[in-house]
């Protein structure tokens, strides 16, 4: 007997999904079972094994014998989908006995897997596969056992669909997180009372430094009492229904220039959330040089000079830092202005300052 709750538990519980192939196999007296789904016939997003074959044996199957699987090929035919079959209906014992998969994969393992109850599910752009197996010396699957699995095919299909939707949601979340991690700013998402919902990698690193902002009972706080008063006031204003405009405050540090904290509110459905973005003026954008070169055709030296000018360095300072003559720096600046079609340093700063600030941190996922 198959309990429908075991199938639907597998929709949201990874451990229950891993057990499901064994559950289905046990319900019909199969020796082994496999269950998987993907977004196309040749794609497998997730797989559940009963454990009869080892991971190594299954890896060999996937690498060398998947294309020779006569059972799998038989049940993907259009007229055979969305139901379970005793695969002997399509593949006779004689044909299977002479097959490569039986003689070069099954038998060399000392195994005699010879019978299959299998099916393919097509639903909402998904392809799911079910395979339940017995040995040659065991009796064939009967119509009652087919019926037990067939009665649950709709539940299994819905379970696959739920897992697919959750997979897309999780992928979307990971994609957004990776995008936020690329930003060269610390981004905090907060509830209206200042409680942290989520943050990007730069924000996590900022909190670990604890030199200006910190968490107390999951609430964002400034270490300096005056800054914290300003922060809590800004959060209250942002969380108010009429407070739609962004504000900004300084978060002072003992050793470095203060962070600039920009605060705004956003609506997520019927709820309001606060977004706080902290910018460290001392942190340089490691990718800026390469992006300036790509956009404006600057040499590496010219791009480095342009970035230094945007950081406020003067000609003599650049000459000393780079170990070149003052006239060389002047020539480089002349070339930079020509390539960027500007005539003043303020224009240069405006052009380059319009580029988004990206993080130097590498993605770890």
């Amino acid at each position: 007997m198959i309990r429908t709750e075991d199938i639907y538990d597998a929709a949201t519980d990874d451990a229950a999904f891993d057990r499901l192939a064994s559950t289905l196999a046990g319900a019909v007296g199969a020796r082994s079972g496999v269950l998987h789904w993907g977004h196309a016939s040749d794609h497998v997003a997730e797989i559940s094994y009963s454990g009869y074959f080892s991971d190594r044996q299954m890896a060999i199957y996937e690498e060398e014998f998947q294309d020779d699987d006569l059972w799998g090929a038989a049940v993907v035919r259009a007229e055979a989908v969305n139901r379970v079959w005793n695969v002997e209906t399509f593949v006779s014992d004689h044909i299977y006995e002479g097959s490569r998969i039986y003689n070069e994969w099954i038998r060399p393992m000392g195994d005699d897997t010879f019978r299959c109850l299998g099916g393919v599910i097509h639903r909402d752009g998904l392809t799911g596969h079910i395979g339940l197996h017995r040995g040659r010396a065991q009796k064939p699957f009967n119509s009652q056992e087919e019926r037990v699995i067939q009665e649950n095919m709709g539940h299994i299909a819905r379970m696959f669909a739920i897992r697919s939707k959750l997979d897309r949601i999780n992928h979307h979340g990971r994609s957004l997180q990776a995008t936020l991690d690329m930003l060269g700013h610390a981004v905090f998402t907060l509830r209206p009372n200042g409680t942290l919902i989520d943050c990007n990698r730069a924000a996590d690193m900022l909190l670990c430094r604890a030199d200006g902002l910190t968490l107390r009972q999951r609430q964002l706080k400034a270490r300096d009492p005056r800054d914290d008063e300003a922060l809590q006031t800004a959060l209250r204003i942002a969380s108010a229904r009429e407070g739609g405009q962004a504000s900004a405050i300084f978060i002072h540090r003992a050793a470095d220039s203060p962070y600039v904290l920009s605060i705004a509110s956003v609506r997520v459905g019927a709820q309001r959330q606060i977004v706080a973005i902290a910018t460290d003026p001392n942190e340089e954008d490691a990718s800026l040089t390469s992006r300036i070169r790509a956009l404006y055709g600057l040499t590496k030296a010219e791009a480095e000079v342009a970035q230094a000018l945007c950081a406020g360095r003067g000609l003599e300072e650049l000459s000393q830092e780079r170990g070149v003559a003052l006239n060389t720096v002047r020539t480089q600046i002349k070339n930079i202005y020509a390539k960027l079609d500007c005539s003043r340093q303020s224009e240069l700063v405006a052009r380059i300052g319009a580029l988004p600030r990206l993080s130097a941190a590498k993605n770890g996922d």
Side-chain angles (χ1 to χ4, degrees):
M1 177 180 175
I2 301 172
R3 301 188 311 162
T4 55
E5 54 262 42
D6 289 336
I7 297 173
Y8 287 110
D9 282 349
T12 56
D13 186 328
D14 290 344
F17 179 78
D18 289 341
R19 294 192 300 268
L20 190 55
S22 295
T23 300
L24 297 179
V28 294
R31 190 170 68 182
S32 65
V34 62
L35 183 74
H36 61 77
W37 67 269
H39 296 289
S41 296
D42 58 351
H43 170 250
V44 177
E46 288 187 305
I47 191 162
S48 172
Y49 292 134
S50 64
Y52 177 80
F53 295 108
S54 69
D55 291 343
R56 176 59 185 155
Q57 289 167 337
M58 292 307 302
I60 293 172
Y61 164 80
E62 292 169 9
E63 292 169 8
E64 300 181 28
F65 296 99
Q66 193 167 13
D67 292 340
D68 297 295
D69 190 338
L70 301 181
W71 293 340
V75 296
V76 298
R77 300 187 322 190
E79 65 271 21
V81 300
N82 295 324
R83 62 157 295 178
V84 69
W85 297 87
N86 185 333
V87 185
E88 292 178 28
T89 303
F90 305 113
V91 181
S92 69
D93 289 355
H94 174 72
I95 291 175
Y96 179 70
E97 189 174 31
S99 68
R100 177 173 178 262
I101 193 169
Y102 181 65
N103 289 286
E104 296 184 27
W105 183 58
I106 295 292
R107 293 180 65 190
M109 291 189 294
D111 192 66
D112 70 339
T113 295
F114 202 82
R115 310 193 187 284
C116 177
L117 192 63
V120 172
I121 294 170
H122 285 171
R123 179 189 174 102
D124 300 333
L126 298 178
T127 299
H129 291 259
I130 301 171
L132 306 170
H133 313 107
R134 286 177 179 164
R136 186 167 192 168
Q138 295 178 295
K139 63 181 181 179
F141 291 100
N142 60 41
S143 58
Q144 174 59 29
E145 290 160 343
E146 285 183 42
R147 194 156 46 247
V148 168
I149 301 299
Q150 183 62 46
E151 288 172 353
N152 288 278
M153 288 287 275
H155 300 307
I156 294 169
R158 285 188 284 276
M159 180 273 295
F160 283 153
I162 293 169
R163 288 194 71 86
S164 174
K165 289 176 182 177
L166 291 175
D167 182 67
R168 286 199 298 270
I169 291 169
N170 289 333
H171 177 77
H172 184 61
R174 291 191 298 269
S175 177
L176 288 176
Q177 189 66 50
T179 301
L180 287 174
D181 286 344
M182 283 189 64
L183 297 179
H185 306 272
V187 181
F188 303 88
T189 306
L190 311 167
R191 292 190 174 88
N193 65 357
T195 301
L196 181 69
I197 298 173
D198 201 0
C199 66
N200 68 348
R201 182 179 287 120
D204 189 54
M205 293 170 64
L206 186 152
L207 291 173
C208 288
R209 290 196 295 271
D211 58 352
L213 289 170
T214 186
L215 285 181
R216 295 179 201 153
Q217 296 180 335
R218 295 288 297 172
Q219 288 191 309
L220 190 66
K221 302 283 187 179
R223 295 182 65 85
D224 185 300
R226 290 171 298 180
D227 290 347
D228 191 57
E229 183 179 350
L231 171 59
Q232 303 312 317
T233 299
L235 292 175
R236 284 194 298 271
I237 293 172
S239 63
R241 195 170 293 276
E242 64 273 14
Q245 293 187 340
S247 63
I249 61 173
F250 287 114
I251 301 294
H252 294 87
R253 297 184 280 181
D256 294 305
S257 302
Y259 296 118
V260 177
L261 189 66
S262 302
I263 301 168
S265 67
V266 294
R267 258 192 195 287
V268 181
Q271 297 181 334
R272 187 177 292 273
Q273 293 179 354
I274 308 299
V275 177
I277 303 174
T279 302
D280 185 350
N282 296 330
E283 191 170 302
E284 293 188 356
D285 185 337
S287 71
L288 187 58
T289 299
S290 62
R291 287 186 286 150
I292 295 171
R293 293 185 67 188
L295 283 170
Y296 300 110
L298 303 183
T299 66
K300 184 175 183 293
E302 289 168 351
E304 291 171 349
V305 168
Q307 187 171 359
L309 289 173
C310 291
R313 292 185 176 85
L315 269 66
E316 292 187 2
E317 187 180 2
L318 276 170
S319 175
Q320 293 175 1
E321 283 182 359
R322 300 181 65 78
V324 297
L326 198 58
N327 282 338
T328 300
V329 177
R330 288 195 179 100
T331 299
Q332 289 171 331
I333 293 174
K334 182 180 178 181
N335 291 339
I336 292 167
Y337 285 169
K339 291 178 180 180
L340 270 72
D341 192 25
C342 59
S343 57
R344 295 189 300 275
Q345 188 170 343
S346 59
E347 292 181 72
L348 173 69
V349 172
R351 292 273 173 85
I352 295 177
L355 295 175
R357 182 171 172 176
L358 303 182
S359 173
K362 294 180 180 179
N363 290 332
D365 299 328

